[in-house]
Amino acid sequence: MPLNLNKTRNFGIVAHIDSGKTTVSERIIYYTGKKHKIGEVHEGTTTTDWMKEEAERGITITAAAVFCNWKDTYLNLIDTPGHVDFTAEVERSCRVLDGAVVVFCSVGGVQAQSETVWRQANKYRVPRLVFVNKMDRMGADFERVFRQVKERLGANPCPIHMPAGQGEEFRGIIDLIAMKMYTFEGEHGEEVVEHEIPAEFRAEAEKKRERMIEIVAGESDELTHHYLEHGTLTNEQIVRGLREGCHSFKLQPMLCGSALRNKGIQLLLDAIVAYLPNPIESHNMHQFALDDVHKANPLPTTPDPKAPLRAMVFKIMNMPQLGDVSFVRVYQGQINEGDQLVCLPSGKTERASRLVKLIGANPHKITEAPAGDICAIVGLKNTQTGDTLVSPNDPKPMLLEGITFAKPVITMAIEPKSTADKEKLAYALARLEREDPTFKKWIDAETGQLIIAGMGELHLEVLSHRIRDEYRVEAIVGKPKVSYRETITNTIEVRGRHVKQTGGRGQYGDCVLRIRPMTDEEKATGEEFMFVDEIRGGTVPKEYRPAIEEGVRAALQRGYVAGYPTINVHVTLIDGSYHEVDSSTEAFIAAGSLAIREAYPKLGCILLEPWMRVEVETPDQFTGTIMGSLQAKRAMITETLDRGPNKIIRAEVPLESMFGYTTELRSLSQGRATYSMEPSEYKPVPPGLVATIAKKS
């Protein structure tokens, strides 16, 4: 049966850790009839947290896909992690989704990772709904969350719900459009019962409805004019204004409920259908693809199953029962079971031998995936995250814009316990690196150690456990280390001249480089190194110029102060010379490398360290002690504020000081404080610590 794009929604659930995303997802699966028993996070029985590590820790680690139907609409749902160490899962999900539900805890409000996922949704222009969860908790405050979303995220939330009571008194949800109250009866809240609004809530509901109408009226000139003329909007105009405002990012419909207590999920599903875009309306669908030959000549994609195939691999996972699974968003054309596919940019050929839809880890066989759909292909061997899939018959294959990921900030050494495990470890690491773009591995050239790198202690701990449990490899893991970097502060011109004559053919390579720090605008592109060729004429033949860049890159990787990679460097090739007989690619690689080594002492090299944005939530009596402990770690306290009965301390802290902080914080607060952190930026290391770090490296 063909996919009805008007009746399709591709959306994700995103939020700060412990806001209740997975519980919301589990209720959606239950109420849409895909599961007949509700699983709970605390019991390790949820559908989307299917990995052993997720069940044991009670957190989401990997984004999980689910398909289901609500009334007459087909839903593709992706439940994403909330922990910053697994932020790549949110990044790749936002890249391919048409909409998102951002979940906030009614007590915690806007927390550190809430801001991160909101920025990621802004980056990929994802329309979103706001769902305030846990309205039954002590300290719940819907209005406080409304203000925080508005002030801290720069958003324009539009509450279409009002809680009937909060905390222990939360008993239902008032719909400000229908002006009715809904309660959720039955063993699992299956029965949605409509009531008139109780007298004690009526005046407040009318006031909140007026606020909602004012926000919606500002969405368009037509609605503003009607509001000024009549003093109100019809329900039909409100719904249309909410939908159009959501699609154009001007507002975010805001709902409430308690997923754990089975309240409000059916109304959330109605809102997903009513306000989030379908694939035809989606900004994500109408992106531009590039001519793969020149990376130019952009053409828009159209959600037409008969058009040439353009699909994106946004996630790769090794799953029980299935093995290698590639999650794919089809933008244009259609993938059929058995189709031959070409991966761009590599040009390698694959076969879609088996297509499936997933509910967590459970596969359901399908035979086709048309434009606008999300599916999984089993057994692709040569694809990478961000690859475009096209048809081998396409005379003009087009490349979709890929996905950008954060760089790892933490490293540690790993080695097999026995020689027999050496090959198995190499295989396991290669598989994990293919799955996770924020996980890297390499051999240290100086020590010969195998190094792995990731986004944080938890990230590497989970991966090392997966190596042990999934791949049956016993490995010895070292202590985590910080990924320091170096940079330059001066601008100079330098000549790199590599000349050797040993009888017979010699070696000759000569280049002149201008080296300077990158500007803030250049850094904003995400590049850490730029190489520009400004040679006019033939002083260095064109075929040797890429070799100079290769030599420059190699030398910058080795650093000067402490042997760490040098970043934020702009190099311009301005002159050089060559020899008809003795010049070669190898000679010019050596010349480029030599130029950097000659320049290093004059470039004003400094050592950089990663700093983290840290947010600690603590009962008030421990605030002073915790602030003192952070300041002892060279922290810069940026903000302290109240969140219900607790205090929030926001700070920027060097990553090197944060190892083992979970244990320390527990002991400082009798186990009652929590914290989260995310990468901020690289900052210069204080001069007094440079020698110590250089000696260790």
Side-chain angles (χ1 to χ4, degrees):
M1 185 175 166
L3 190 70
N4 182 346
L5 293 182
N6 289 305
K7 295 288 186 180
T8 300
R9 301 291 182 273
N10 298 310
F11 71 100
I13 309 279
V14 299
H16 181 90
I17 193 168
D18 284 339
S19 296
K21 297 179 309 305
T22 300
T23 307
V24 170
S25 299
E26 188 68 15
R27 291 335 186 249
I28 287 175
I29 297 167
Y30 177 74
Y31 292 125
T32 56
K34 282 293 177 183
K35 190 175 180 182
H36 302 294
K37 184 176 184 296
I38 294 178
E40 302 293 0
V41 172
H42 57 272
E43 294 171 358
T45 56
T46 60
T47 303
T48 53
D49 285 355
W50 54 266
M51 288 173 63
K52 182 185 175 196
E53 285 287 319
E54 293 176 311
E56 287 177 356
R57 295 171 186 271
I59 62 170
T60 303
I61 290 170
T62 184
V66 170
F67 75 100
C68 52
N69 288 75
W70 179 245
K71 297 178 179 173
D72 61 348
T73 302
Y74 181 76
L75 308 178
N76 282 311
L77 157 66
I78 296 179
D79 177 32
T80 66
H83 198 287
V84 68
D85 282 19
F86 310 107
T87 190
E89 298 293 321
V90 183
E91 188 81 19
R92 52 174 148 209
S93 300
C94 284
R95 171 64 180 79
V96 299
L97 292 171
D98 301 329
V101 176
V102 188
V103 181
F104 295 91
C105 170
S106 64
V107 181
V110 175
Q111 296 166 279
Q113 190 65 8
S114 312
E115 298 181 26
T116 304
V117 298
W118 196 271
R119 283 197 303 271
Q120 287 170 307
N122 284 342
K123 175 180 172 181
Y124 292 107
R125 292 177 59 76
V126 180
R128 65 216 81 151
L129 305 179
V130 171
F131 182 72
V132 183
N133 193 25
K134 305 188 180 184
M135 287 305 308
D136 59 311
R137 275 189 62 189
M138 185 186 297
D141 191 333
F142 184 79
E143 285 299 308
R144 185 177 69 233
V145 180
F146 166 73
R147 291 192 300 273
Q148 289 179 352
V149 171
K150 199 173 179 66
E151 292 161 12
R152 292 190 196 166
L153 302 178
N156 186 24
C158 180
I160 61 174
H161 283 177
M162 180 187 117
Q166 300 187 123
E168 291 178 0
E169 296 177 0
F170 177 59
R171 62 185 207 247
I173 295 166
I174 294 169
D175 183 327
L176 298 174
I177 301 172
M179 286 303 276
K180 299 287 182 184
M181 185 177 92
Y182 295 95
T183 57
F184 304 86
E185 315 294 343
E187 187 184 352
H188 299 299
E190 303 93 335
E191 191 183 345
V192 182
V193 182
E194 183 183 294
H195 309 265
E196 291 303 317
I197 299 174
E200 70 261 38
F201 296 116
R202 187 85 204 178
E204 189 185 354
E206 285 172 354
K207 186 177 165 188
K208 296 288 167 58
R209 177 179 164 88
E210 184 58 35
R211 177 180 68 183
M212 173 188 71
I213 289 172
E214 285 177 8
I215 295 171
V216 173
E219 193 278 320
S220 72
D221 292 342
E222 180 197 338
L223 293 177
T224 303
H225 180 73
H226 188 281
Y227 177 68
L228 292 173
E229 196 171 311
H230 299 90
T232 189
L233 298 176
T234 65
N235 284 359
E236 186 184 330
Q237 287 174 317
I238 293 169
V239 171
R240 192 179 81 237
L242 285 165
R243 182 174 172 79
E244 290 172 0
C246 181
H247 293 192
S248 61
F249 317 105
K250 291 181 180 175
L251 56 81
Q252 299 80 35
M254 185 169 178
L255 303 88
C256 66
S258 168
L260 188 64
R261 302 286 172 242
N262 309 311
K263 297 182 191 298
I265 300 301
Q266 296 96 322
L267 301 186
L268 173 62
L269 281 162
D270 288 340
I272 288 164
V273 171
Y275 305 123
L276 290 182
N278 63 47
I280 299 169
E281 300 161 325
S282 167
H283 163 79
N284 201 326
M285 178 58 86
H286 295 286
Q287 60 174 302
F288 284 83
L290 301 175
D291 161 343
D292 187 38
V293 180
H294 306 103
K295 303 290 188 292
N297 309 315
L299 284 175
T301 56
T302 55
D304 178 1
K306 294 189 172 74
L309 177 64
R310 291 178 201 160
M312 170 165 284
V313 177
F314 66 93
K315 177 178 170 62
I316 295 167
M317 192 79 198
N318 186 30
M319 299 184 73
Q321 306 176 47
L322 296 172
D324 266 349
V325 176
S326 300
F327 291 78
V328 174
R329 169 71 192 259
V330 186
Y331 286 97
Q332 183 175 286
Q334 179 166 299
I335 299 175
N336 299 301
E337 187 178 57
D339 277 358
Q340 292 290 324
L341 304 170
V342 175
C343 302
L344 299 180
S346 70
K348 292 180 178 175
T349 304
E350 296 272 24
R351 184 169 175 270
S353 54
R354 187 180 173 197
L355 299 182
V356 295
K357 287 277 193 174
L358 292 162
I359 298 182
N362 301 316
H364 295 257
K365 189 177 185 298
I366 58 171
T367 57
E368 61 186 32
D373 204 0
I374 292 173
C375 72
I377 306 178
V378 180
L380 300 187
K381 298 297 180 190
N382 299 311
T383 55
Q384 302 295 331
T385 300
D387 277 1
T388 301
L389 299 178
V390 298
S391 166
N393 317 323
D394 191 345
K396 194 174 182 184
M398 304 291 285
L399 186 72
L400 295 164
E401 184 185 345
I403 313 172
T404 54
F405 295 101
K407 301 279 193 306
V409 295
I410 185 171
T411 65
M412 62 187 187
I414 187 169
E415 62 182 63
K417 271 192 177 176
S418 67
T419 311
D421 281 332
K422 192 171 182 180
E423 278 189 28
K424 285 163 66 179
L425 178 61
Y427 173 77
L429 293 176
R431 295 292 291 261
L432 293 173
E433 190 174 29
R434 183 166 174 250
E435 283 182 22
D436 185 347
T438 58
F439 171 68
K440 301 294 177 191
K441 63 168 178 31
W442 65 87
I443 302 285
D444 187 289
E446 306 243 330
T447 65
Q449 281 184 306
L450 179 57
I451 305 296
I452 57 175
M455 298 304 296
E457 282 183 279
L458 180 60
H459 187 200
L460 292 184
E461 184 185 323
V462 165
L463 289 173
S464 60
H465 285 189
R466 287 187 62 197
I467 289 167
R468 181 194 67 203
D469 297 336
E470 289 178 30
Y471 296 96
R472 302 286 187 267
V473 180
E474 291 296 325
I476 302 164
V477 178
K479 287 187 177 176
K481 287 185 178 180
V482 175
S483 288
Y484 292 97
R485 293 287 183 267
E486 299 180 19
T487 195
I488 62 172
T489 56
N490 298 334
T491 300
I492 68 163
E493 286 186 12
V494 66
R495 177 166 233 123
R497 199 159 177 270
H498 175 73
V499 182
K500 276 193 178 180
Q501 194 67 49
T502 54
R505 183 175 174 178
Q507 294 180 39
Y508 186 95
D510 176 33
C511 62
V512 180
L513 307 177
R514 184 186 306 118
I515 307 169
R516 65 167 173 83
M518 283 168 59
T519 63
D520 290 340
E521 291 79 11
E522 289 166 343
K523 290 178 196 172
T525 65
E527 297 293 327
E528 294 183 343
F529 168 72
M530 289 184 171
F531 186 89
V532 178
D533 177 2
E534 283 189 1
I535 287 185
R536 300 290 175 265
T539 54
V540 176
K542 281 188 178 178
E543 63 264 30
Y544 294 138
R545 296 176 195 176
I548 296 170
E549 180 179 352
E550 186 181 333
V552 167
R553 283 182 183 273
L556 289 173
Q557 279 301 306
R558 289 190 286 273
Y560 178 70
V561 180
Y564 291 101
T566 307
I567 62 170
N568 300 335
V569 179
H570 188 289
V571 175
T572 307
L573 174 60
I574 55 176
D575 201 1
S577 63
Y578 75 106
H579 189 280
E580 289 279 359
V581 177
D582 292 348
S583 285
S584 64
T585 298
E586 292 73 21
F588 275 99
I589 291 173
S593 184
L594 183 63
I596 296 298
R597 293 203 302 274
E598 294 275 345
Y600 265 145
K602 305 166 194 168
L603 282 170
C605 296
I606 57 172
L607 191 62
L608 303 173
E609 63 181 337
W611 280 57
M612 311 298 284
R613 274 190 287 271
V614 176
E615 183 179 286
V616 181
E617 181 167 354
T618 175
D620 195 18
Q621 67 258 43
F622 306 114
T623 304
T625 311
I626 289 170
M627 285 180 75
S629 81
L630 287 170
Q631 284 162 340
K633 297 177 184 299
R634 298 191 281 136
M636 294 190 299
I637 309 292
T638 55
E639 189 178 20
T640 57
L641 44 97
D642 295 320
R643 182 178 288 157
N646 291 343
K647 273 278 191 290
I648 301 299
I649 304 165
R650 289 181 170 172
E652 292 198 353
V653 194
L655 174 61
E656 178 268 334
S657 305
M658 292 301 291
F659 291 144
Y661 189 59
T662 303
T663 307
E664 182 182 338
L665 187 62
R666 281 179 190 146
S667 66
L668 291 174
S669 64
Q670 297 169 14
R672 294 169 64 192
T674 60
Y675 84 101
S676 62
M677 68 178 183
E678 63 174 336
S680 172
E681 61 181 323
Y682 274 92
K683 294 184 183 181
V685 173
L689 294 176
V690 171
T692 309
I693 293 166
K695 189 176 178 184
K696 279 183 188 175
S697 74

